Amino acid sequence: MDISVVIPLYNEDESLPELTSWIARVMAEHRFSYEILFVDDGSTDSSWKVIEDLKNTYPEVKAIKFRRNYGKSAALNVAFEASQGDVIITMDADLQDSPDEIPELYRRLCEEKMDIISGWKKKRYDPVTKTIPTKLFNAATRRMSGIQLNDFNCGLKAYRSDVVKTIEVYGEMHRYIPVIAKWAGFKNIGEQVVEHRARKYGVTKFGFSRFINGFLDLLSIFFVGKFGKRPMHFFGSMGVLSFLVGTVMALWIIGEKLYHISMNTSYREITDQPMFYIALVAIILGSQLFLTGFVAELVTRNASERNQYLIEKEIL
């Protein structure tokens, strides 16, 4: 199979027929073998009924329905596991992504031997309250990851199959998939300017909280990418440094007292000096960080699967 088109959705019953017919037309024109994999993220409208009806017309349609809303990252992770195409194209269900971009994404991914090609909505139709925070996040992600993409959060992306079969997407980390892929060793990441269309049906499903969650997930990715397999290197180094600083301070205080005793001069009691309490805190904090490193090592070696979701129905 050439292409799997992965489409996570939540309450998008109005746009699904038009989107499906558009994808089918593009695929037929270029003679691609394909599947359309919908993931209904616990929709409360008639989205699943629409998908069932579409299956009768388009045999390439497949679908998974969550019992409740888990979020876009969960939908993508499950879809990646179920996809069968050599190339996986992800796109949103709200018709803001154009299926006409698929052939060029497929061509570039195959001919240029890329791992990922991310869409860049250079001209956007979103309100300022959405575009400004997005630009800030893109700038921060570029700085922390070293990946020079202009639009990490664009839903229209193309992946080689082995990329999506290797990575794990959870939390709100769908916007940072290129970063996750880079940490996994997939470094051939490109970008393509794509059309951003104005929303035709419904309203956006993302609120302000996604920016806070996105920032926290960015920090999480940065930490896991660098120290996920060796947490002792992070916690242990900080713990040893803090412990050594505290120990040196404590020895200095003790040495100073012994010096004054030997010289028979006046001195302050150790417990009367602020440095004593700073040294004590540093030693305790260092010990705790060191122990945290050991616990983190145990967790990484015995962690169970984090991505387990209740699936209500499937069309496969």
Side-chain angles (χ1 to χ4, degrees):
M1 185 180 293
D2 295 325
I3 299 175
S4 293
V5 183
V6 169
I7 305 173
L9 64 105
Y10 178 70
N11 292 345
E12 299 285 0
D13 55 355
E14 294 177 300
S15 63
L16 294 179
E18 183 176 342
L19 177 61
T20 305
S21 64
W22 192 353
I23 294 173
R25 184 173 68 252
V26 171
M27 296 299 186
E29 289 174 356
H30 294 82
R31 298 184 178 181
F32 290 131
S33 58
Y34 71 100
E35 64 180 356
I36 303 175
L37 183 53
F38 292 109
V39 181
D40 185 343
D41 189 21
S43 294
T44 56
D45 63 359
S46 58
S47 292
W48 185 255
K49 179 64 170 61
V50 172
I51 292 172
E52 290 178 324
D53 293 339
L54 288 171
K55 176 65 176 179
N56 297 327
T57 306
Y58 304 96
E60 298 82 7
V61 167
K62 300 178 181 179
I64 298 171
K65 178 177 174 59
F66 286 158
R67 189 168 293 277
R68 67 172 181 85
N69 180 259
Y70 287 103
K72 188 174 182 178
S73 293
L76 287 175
N77 195 73
V78 169
F80 287 162
E81 291 179 357
S83 62
Q84 299 179 31
D86 295 331
V87 171
I88 286 77
I89 306 287
T90 61
M91 61 192 314
D92 295 334
D94 54 13
L95 293 174
Q96 290 190 279
D97 296 330
S98 172
D100 290 332
E101 308 283 356
I102 293 176
E104 181 62 13
L105 288 169
Y106 179 83
R107 183 196 68 79
R108 287 192 60 201
L109 199 74
C110 295
E111 293 183 5
E112 299 178 16
K113 307 299 181 182
M114 305 296 289
D115 296 318
I116 301 173
I117 296 181
S118 179
W120 175 18
K121 296 175 181 177
K122 197 170 184 178
K123 182 179 180 181
R124 302 184 67 97
Y125 292 93
D126 291 324
V128 174
T129 54
K130 185 176 179 180
T131 56
I132 291 180
T134 297
K135 288 182 178 179
L136 293 175
F137 272 112
N138 286 328
T141 307
R142 280 195 300 272
R143 183 65 179 261
M144 294 184 69
S145 68
I147 302 174
Q148 299 306 309
L149 294 180
N150 290 283
D151 190 359
F152 285 86
N153 196 32
C154 179
L156 185 56
K157 288 182 173 68
Y159 308 87
R160 286 195 295 110
S161 177
D162 55 338
V163 176
V164 303
K165 298 297 184 182
T166 301
I167 63 175
E168 181 186 26
V169 189
Y170 57 93
E172 295 287 331
M173 293 187 179
H174 56 273
R175 57 176 60 85
Y176 302 123
I177 291 180
V179 182
I180 299 173
K182 181 186 176 183
W183 290 126
F186 300 101
K187 299 180 180 179
N188 296 324
I189 302 172
E191 190 169 51
Q192 178 173 312
V193 176
V194 297
E195 179 186 7
H196 182 224
R197 300 163 58 85
R199 174 177 276 275
K200 189 173 182 179
Y201 304 105
V203 295
T204 181
K205 310 302 188 302
F206 298 100
F208 182 76
S209 61
R210 78 187 186 116
F211 298 118
I212 299 175
N213 295 336
F215 175 72
L216 295 175
D217 281 331
L218 177 59
L219 296 178
S220 179
I221 286 176
F222 180 75
F223 175 81
V224 171
K226 275 192 169 295
F227 304 104
K229 299 298 183 183
R230 46 189 177 91
M232 177 55 84
H233 290 192
F234 177 78
F235 291 108
S237 59
M238 292 180 62
V240 168
L241 180 62
S242 178
F243 188 88
L244 288 176
V245 170
T247 301
V248 169
M249 293 173 67
L251 291 175
W252 175 270
I253 297 171
I254 295 172
E256 186 180 38
K257 179 179 179 178
L258 293 176
Y259 171 78
H260 286 293
I261 291 175
S262 65
M263 298 298 293
N264 199 24
T265 57
S266 61
Y267 59 88
R268 294 174 64 187
E269 290 293 336
I270 291 177
T271 54
D272 291 338
Q273 300 185 49
M275 187 179 291
F276 167 75
Y277 297 100
I278 296 174
L280 189 62
V281 169
I283 292 172
I284 294 173
L285 182 61
S287 301
Q288 289 179 330
L289 286 170
F290 198 74
L291 290 173
T292 300
F294 276 120
V295 173
E297 286 284 345
L298 293 173
V299 170
T300 56
R301 295 174 188 274
N302 298 280
S304 59
E305 293 296 324
R306 75 170 73 235
N307 277 320
Q308 297 180 354
Y309 308 106
L310 297 176
I311 294 175
E312 183 178 353
K313 298 178 183 178
E314 291 183 313
I315 302 175
L316 298 175

